Amino acid sequence: LMDGTKREDFINNIRLARFFDIPCILTFVGEPAEGEGALSMDETVSRIRSVLPELEKYDMTMALEVAGKQSSGVAVKEIVEKVASPRVVTAYDTANAIFYGDVDTMADLSACLDTVGYIHIKDKAAGRQEWSFPALGQGYVPFPEVFAMVDESGNDSPYVVEIEFTPEGPGSVEAVNQAVLDSANYLKAQGFVL
């Protein structure tokens, strides 16, 4: 969406999501197209607002993911508040906030939770700036505390499990299956019914 030449593609993605009865479209509000230069806050907000009529038309929500230049929940919250539409929410990614923003997950999530409408539960292992996102429970994201904070706030955002492994990838389909199984077992141990 930040690439000025891709607006129609994004609108088509909104339509496709609605066709499949998906109520929320996720995007990252990162850097614009190559050569376009960094966007100001006003330009970023304007591009997001430009698709609000389509979100209304298709009864969709757009979740802005914590990633890249918007490296923390606090940074994304600022954009969400400037857009000022109930159709636009923060997509909090528990590991991206560590990897991109080098923030404390609990403090950052607490500071933006009132705008969160979608949560990637992704674990983080190895150094903070190392690409290492294992199965849930195999890293150091404090998920029990995250779940408790979200529950206590009354926020009913959907949780979406994300496993990105390392730059080398998972290595095999079996490794992917095992990571999904390990993550499911971890969530069950946390009291989730799957």
Side-chain angles (χ1 to χ4, degrees), residues 3 25 33 63 70 73 80 129:
D3 179 338
I25 186 164
Q70 278 68 45
V80 168
Q129 299 336 155

Side-chain angles (χ1 to χ4, degrees), residues 126-146:
R128 294 178 78 81
Q129 299 336 155
E130 288 182 63
W131 193 276
S132 182
F133 306 102
L136 300 183
Q138 295 179 8
Y140 50 81
V141 172
F143 288 116
E145 290 87 353
V146 167

Side-chain angles (χ1 to χ4, degrees), residues 25-84:
I25 186 164
L26 180 72
T27 188
F28 121 90
V29 189
E31 293 71 28
E34 189 174 318
E36 193 171 358
L39 297 180
S40 69
M41 175 64 80
D42 288 343
E43 290 169 316
T44 299
V45 169
S46 177
R47 290 194 184 181
I48 294 167
R49 284 183 178 157
S50 78
V51 298
L52 289 177
E54 297 297 320
L55 295 172
E56 287 288 338
K57 179 178 178 179
Y58 293 101
D59 193 23
M60 296 278 294
T61 300
M62 178 168 55
L64 309 178
E65 184 172 3
V66 171
K69 189 173 133 185
Q70 278 68 45
S71 58
S72 68
V74 170
V76 174
K77 176 180 177 167
E78 182 180 4
I79 296 168
V80 168
E81 288 179 337
K82 286 185 183 292
V83 171

Side-chain angles (χ1 to χ4, degrees), residues 118-180:
Y118 188 96
I119 302 173
H120 276 167
I121 49 175
K122 181 167 67 178
D123 216 341
K124 178 74 185 84
R128 294 178 78 81
Q129 299 336 155
E130 288 182 63
W131 193 276
S132 182
F133 306 102
L136 300 183
Q138 295 179 8
Y140 50 81
V141 172
F143 288 116
E145 290 87 353
V146 167
F147 299 145
M149 179 189 295
V150 173
D151 286 348
E152 288 168 14
S153 75
N155 185 309
D156 63 354
S157 298
Y159 289 122
V160 178
V161 175
E162 188 173 12
I163 307 165
E164 292 183 2
F165 301 98
T166 64
E168 293 75 35
S172 68
V173 171
E174 292 78 16
V176 171
N177 290 340
Q178 188 61 56
V180 171

